[in-house]
Amino acid sequence: MANLPWHKSTYSDGAHNCVEVAEGPVTAVRDTRNRELGHLDVPAGEWTALLASVRAGR
């Protein structure tokens, strides 16, 4: 994940309650406040399906 850029979620509130994502063949997700605890790896197809499901539930 070191070679992929991390970006904050557009839904993060700016008060350090943020989720960061690095998207690529495997999408990585981490808590901005606890970066030292690591990240969760999700296959890109599964990440896309999750986002589609969340967006459909709005």
Side-chain angles (χ1 to χ4, degrees), residues 4-51:
L4 293 175
W6 290 89
H7 62 274
K8 290 185 181 175
S9 166
T10 56
Y11 291 99
S12 294
D13 67 12
H16 305 291
N17 296 319
C18 303
V19 172
E20 294 179 321
V21 178
E23 297 173 284
V26 173
T27 298
V29 182
R30 68 182 179 191
D31 179 354
T32 301
R33 293 175 68 184
N34 296 293
R35 291 178 180 141
E36 70 281 358
L37 296 178
H39 61 274
L40 176 66
D41 289 335
V42 181
E46 297 297 323
W47 180 251
T48 300
L50 172 67
L51 292 180

